[in-house]
Amino acid sequence: MRTILSIAGSDCCANAGIQQDIKTIIKFNCQFVNVITAVTSQDNNHVTHIHSIPDRHITAQLNTIAANKIIHAVKIG
């Protein structure tokens, strides 16, 4: 099974971001791993707040995944 890494934000209403990537990657019968870059408060029409994840934490997420998984593809954004 191929492993796909998604690097993106998290959308609380699941209309975009990591939540949509999960659905798509699983649909193609691949394993999903992710790095969260931001957490948003949004709906279909408005983004009301964005909390960026600190760079050092993003790096830590990437390093942890790289130490434990073989990544076959990366999806950004």
Side-chain angles (χ1 to χ4, degrees):
M1 178 179 285
R2 298 203 178 269
T3 299
I4 312 297
L5 166 62
S6 175
I7 302 173
S10 175
D11 167 14
C12 66
C13 287
N15 295 316
I18 289 288
Q19 288 81 354
Q20 285 300 315
D21 293 347
I22 292 169
K23 292 177 188 177
T24 303
I25 291 168
I26 290 173
K27 182 177 180 178
F28 286 96
N29 199 33
C30 293
Q31 182 180 17
F32 175 81
V33 293
N34 65 270
V35 170
I36 303 291
T37 58
V39 178
T40 66
S41 298
Q42 68 185 71
D43 59 24
N44 291 339
N45 302 308
H46 303 92
V47 176
T48 58
H49 185 79
I50 300 172
H51 173 75
S52 297
I53 303 300
D55 292 345
R56 70 183 186 282
H57 189 70
I58 292 170
T59 300
Q61 292 177 77
L62 285 166
N63 289 338
T64 301
I65 291 168
N68 292 286
K69 299 285 182 180
I70 295 173
I71 303 302
H72 297 96
V74 178
K75 192 271 184 188
I76 300 173

